[in-house]
Amino acid sequence: QCVKNLSVVICVDLSKPETIWTTLESLLNTIKLRVKKVIAELKRDCPSEANQLVAECLARYGPDHPDKDNLDIIPVPITIIGSKYDEFQNFDPEKKKIISKTLRYVAHHHGAHLCYFSSKMEALVMKTRGLLGHLVFKTQLSKTVVTDHSKPVYVLAGMDAMSQIGQPPAIVGSRSPLDQWKQLFLSTFPQEAEAVLPEDPTKDSKYNESIIDSVRIQKDEELERFKKLQERKMREEVSSGINAEYGGKEDERRGQTRGQSYVAEIVDTSIEPGALVFSIECRSFNARRFRLFLEACMFVQFIM
């Protein structure tokens, strides 16, 4: 049900074109696969809502849009934000043209909005804020289109066209316009090797935030103390219960009537995922009652 209220925002760094295509391609493919799966499940459970969701996205293009049959629209609102325009504006004009036209085509092909942004330029801050406000609160949206690559690009979904974007140079082996734009972009801006995420991204030194990190350390320490406290309480509760059940001298005397018998005393416990692990020292015990205890435990370690 959450997909009906979903909006996706993808941010690419205009000052680092060597990361743009890798970022866009991986994220868009992941979004596309996930949304496709969710829509299929929604169609099975509630076909009318699924069809309405798809229809709303297609409605942005209208029935007469010349490209509507040649697009691969993702049926949730997607916004591509090109950040650091203040640095990008000083790029070589030809490079700016390739980057802007490629981003326009990718956004148009997938049914996404495209907006350039810089935190150092108030006009772009206001325009981006308005776009995000529309995604969240459905506020009125500025429909002023800017496609000039020498200016901050701003194009809403359904308001661009392949004829306005233009065609990339024909490249041998390219099977589709999207593939042609990809090859042109990669030949101009070879992409960096995709970074390997650390096993625990919260400890990635590239994203240090002293205030947040100090609070995180404090909370980790509190959690560790809480776990140890709970473990100690569990050990005490189990130990007292077993000793009460099997530790009386009366049980030892009763057990003498039939072979050797023992009493179990818990000497150590520890918490493992999904189980309580006992270390048990065995002395004289009543076999039947002790077997019932063992059957209640998932894992038992004996110290004989």
Side-chain angles (χ1 to χ4, degrees), residues 284-298:
S284 295
F285 76 98
N286 179 290
R288 179 174 121 6
R289 296 171 71 184
F290 189 56
R291 186 177 66 251
L292 294 176
F293 161 71
L294 295 183
E295 289 174 354
C297 301
M298 294 181 65

Side-chain angles (χ1 to χ4, degrees), residues 3-57:
V3 72
K4 296 185 294 184
N5 300 313
L6 175 67
S7 293
V8 180
V9 178
I10 300 174
C11 187
V12 295
D13 189 342
L14 294 174
S15 70
K16 295 181 178 179
E18 64 275 10
T19 66
I20 289 178
W21 188 271
T22 302
T23 301
L24 274 179
E25 186 173 51
S26 60
L27 291 178
L28 286 171
N29 286 340
T30 300
I31 295 166
K32 192 183 304 182
L33 291 174
R34 180 58 183 162
V35 170
K36 183 178 180 181
K37 180 179 179 181
V38 173
I39 292 293
E41 294 173 355
L42 188 60
K43 282 185 176 180
R44 185 183 63 242
D45 300 332
C46 190
S48 60
E49 291 187 1
N51 293 334
Q52 180 182 357
L53 188 64
V54 175
E56 287 176 356
C57 290

Side-chain angles (χ1 to χ4, degrees), residues 12-21 24 80-85 87-108 114-116 147-153 155 160 165 168-169 181-182 184-191:
V12 295
D13 189 342
L14 294 174
S15 70
K16 295 181 178 179
E18 64 275 10
T19 66
I20 289 178
W21 188 271
L24 274 179
I80 299 173
I81 295 180
S83 66
K84 297 186 180 179
Y85 177 77
E87 298 181 31
F88 174 75
Q89 66 181 342
N90 298 319
F91 275 31
D92 175 78
E94 189 59 29
K95 290 184 177 181
K96 288 199 295 183
K97 180 178 180 181
I98 293 174
I99 293 172
S100 294
K101 283 183 172 289
T102 301
L103 288 177
R104 283 176 61 194
Y105 186 87
V106 171
H108 180 58
L114 176 62
C115 176
Y116 283 3
T147 58
D148 186 345
H149 62 267
S150 65
K151 298 178 181 179
V153 172
V155 186
D160 213 338
I165 298 171
W181 281 110
K182 176 181 179 178
L184 173 62
F185 195 90
L186 296 183
S187 63
T188 309
F189 307 104
Q191 300 294 282

Side-chain angles (χ1 to χ4, degrees), residues 17-246:
E18 64 275 10
T19 66
I20 289 178
W21 188 271
T22 302
T23 301
L24 274 179
E25 186 173 51
S26 60
L27 291 178
L28 286 171
N29 286 340
T30 300
I31 295 166
K32 192 183 304 182
L33 291 174
R34 180 58 183 162
V35 170
K36 183 178 180 181
K37 180 179 179 181
V38 173
I39 292 293
E41 294 173 355
L42 188 60
K43 282 185 176 180
R44 185 183 63 242
D45 300 332
C46 190
S48 60
E49 291 187 1
N51 293 334
Q52 180 182 357
L53 188 64
V54 175
E56 287 176 356
C57 290
L58 294 177
R60 294 198 294 265
Y61 284 79
D64 300 324
H65 197 288
D67 304 331
K68 63 183 180 65
D69 296 327
N70 299 312
L71 304 177
D72 185 16
I73 299 174
I74 300 175
V76 295
I78 295 178
T79 300
I80 299 173
I81 295 180
S83 66
K84 297 186 180 179
Y85 177 77
D86 55 295
E87 298 181 31
F88 174 75
Q89 66 181 342
N90 298 319
F91 275 31
D92 175 78
E94 189 59 29
K95 290 184 177 181
K96 288 199 295 183
K97 180 178 180 181
I98 293 174
I99 293 172
S100 294
K101 283 183 172 289
T102 301
L103 288 177
R104 283 176 61 194
Y105 186 87
V106 171
H108 180 58
H109 183 75
H110 292 94
H113 308 304
L114 176 62
C115 176
Y116 283 3
F117 170 78
S118 170
S119 61
K120 299 177 181 180
M121 305 174 75
E122 186 62 26
L124 297 187
V125 171
M126 296 299 294
K127 185 170 286 189
T128 305
R129 184 180 298 167
L131 178 54
L132 297 179
H134 169 74
L135 295 176
V136 178
F137 304 111
K138 308 302 180 185
T139 56
Q140 288 295 321
L141 191 59
S142 171
K143 295 187 177 181
T144 303
V145 175
V146 179
T147 58
D148 186 345
H149 62 267
S150 65
K151 298 178 181 179
V153 172
Y154 180 86
V155 186
L156 301 181
M159 301 187 72
D160 213 338
M162 294 180 184
S163 59
Q164 297 174 15
I165 298 171
Q167 293 293 326
I171 299 175
V172 177
S174 298
R175 294 172 296 179
S176 67
L178 180 63
D179 194 37
Q180 290 176 11
W181 281 110
K182 176 181 179 178
Q183 296 306 319
L184 173 62
F185 195 90
L186 296 183
S187 63
T188 309
F189 307 104
Q191 300 294 282
E192 290 181 351
E194 197 166 355
V196 179
L197 290 176
E199 186 174 341
D200 184 355
T202 64
K203 297 179 180 178
D204 192 336
S205 59
K206 292 193 302 182
Y207 306 108
N208 285 338
E209 292 285 350
S210 57
I211 297 177
I212 296 175
D213 292 342
S214 62
V215 174
R216 172 63 187 266
I217 291 173
Q218 178 185 339
K219 294 301 180 182
D220 285 343
E221 291 173 350
E222 291 176 2
L223 176 61
E224 193 61 32
R225 288 196 295 271
F226 175 77
K227 289 166 64 178
K228 288 181 179 179
L229 177 62
Q230 293 301 108
E231 182 180 337
R232 185 167 62 251
K233 286 183 178 179
M234 180 71 73
R235 184 163 56 243
E236 291 171 353
E237 290 174 3
V238 174
S239 180
S240 62
I242 296 302
N243 287 332
E245 180 69 22
Y246 301 104

